[in-house]
Amino acid sequence: MSCGGPTLNTMDGMFAKISFFGGISDSIWPYLRRIFMAWTDERVATLKKLWMEGLSASQIAGELGEGVTRNAVIGKVHRLKLSGRAKPAPSAPRARKPRSTSASPSTPRRPASTGGSVSGNTSSTPRRRQTVHAPVSGANALQMNTEVDANVALATAQEAEIFIPVEERISLLQLSETTCKWPIGDPLNDDFHFCGRNSDEGKPYCEFHSKRAYHTLDRRKKS
DNA sequence: CCCTGATTCGC
DNA sequence: GCGAATCAGG
């Protein structure tokens, strides 16, 4: 008639850890996470759903709660083996890294937010940034806000105080590997064109627009 | 700089 | 199993 053996063991381990002074907040985090933020069937279901809908890992993390990081989401996704959702071609075998094998004994993997206690100390807002990519960028997960993308494109095009001389403007067909693909203007208008300035190899935009594209333009405030 | 997912590996 | 750190890429 005993019930809950394993649970006691877990708790036991937890208290053993926290009862030891020194780097407490660091030690208890994993445990607290397990207790308050475990991957319940419900959360896993949410994760699956959102992932399949094409939301990015960080967006899903934000949706699941402050305590969930995008890494956690990605890790879980892989463990569930539902990764490749829109993976066209891996192509590159992805060389693995040596990653300092047992570099130093005391290599804290992460400072964590040492601040102290779980009671929200603070100083820092957790990392909740979200950016809306510029148009024409990823192929993966932006089937969701096309509307937003359009708005952003418009807003930034107007916001950008840049003027490309008529003779330098290029059309879609003139784009190449080294031309900035930042669209300017309304595609329905005659004056629509692309930036066309030189872009670094492998980059879709010129230096100026690269900044714009990857800078936070709109931070969606989640309720 | 910002972001994305993928992978490794200590816990 | 979990996820931070890291990697590789846009």
Side-chain angles (χ1 to χ4, degrees), chain A residues 34-49:
Chain A
R34 278 226 159 162
I35 296 172
F36 297 115
M37 189 230 104
W39 284 110
T40 60
D41 289 349
E42 198 176 342
R43 299 174 141 265
V44 171
T46 304
L47 168 65
K48 283 182 180 173
K49 184 174 135 239

Side-chain angles (χ1 to χ4, degrees), chain A residues 70-147:
Chain A
R70 80 180 194 92
N71 271 37
V73 170
I74 292 173
K76 188 59 179 174
V77 162
H78 280 245
R79 258 171 263 124
L80 289 173
K81 295 185 177 309
L82 40 88
S83 24
R85 82 187 129 167
K87 213 192 325 190
S91 223
R94 190 168 294 276
R96 39 146 98 178
K97 59 170 173 184
R99 208 220 324 217
S100 62
T101 45
S102 68
S104 39
S106 54
T107 302
R109 297 188 132 273
R110 209 240 175 121
S113 9
T114 48
S117 30
V118 218
S119 355
N121 195 329
T122 44
S123 48
S124 61
T125 319
R127 307 180 104 246
R128 252 168 124 19
R129 283 195 235 90
Q130 213 69 288
T131 52
V132 175
H133 258 65
V136 205
S137 74
N140 244 352
L142 38 82
Q143 53 229 69
M144 40 177 194
N145 0 315
T146 43
E147 193 177 334

Side-chain angles (χ1 to χ4, degrees), chain A residues 126-178:
Chain A
R127 307 180 104 246
R128 252 168 124 19
R129 283 195 235 90
Q130 213 69 288
T131 52
V132 175
H133 258 65
V136 205
S137 74
N140 244 352
L142 38 82
Q143 53 229 69
M144 40 177 194
N145 0 315
T146 43
E147 193 177 334
V148 174
D149 275 347
N151 287 337
V152 171
L154 220 79
T156 53
Q158 292 170 351
E159 199 179 315
E161 300 173 53
I162 186 169
F163 177 79
I164 307 297
V166 179
E167 58 271 20
E168 290 181 22
R169 297 181 183 181
I170 62 175
S171 66
L172 178 62
L173 294 180
Q174 293 173 297
L175 290 175
S176 73
E177 291 294 327
T178 57

Side-chain angles (χ1 to χ4, degrees), chain A residues 201-218:
Chain A
E201 195 166 344
K203 297 286 186 75
Y205 309 118
C206 66
E207 195 175 340
F208 179 83
H209 287 126
S210 193
K211 292 276 190 193
R212 279 207 171 273
Y214 301 128
H215 190 268
T216 301
L217 298 170
D218 172 77

Side-chain angles (χ1 to χ4, degrees), chain A residues 182-200:
Chain A
W182 187 271
I184 298 175
D186 188 329
L188 296 180
N189 286 344
D190 288 340
D191 63 353
F192 175 74
H193 59 285
F194 292 90
C195 169
R197 285 180 296 179
N198 184 61
S199 65
D200 291 339

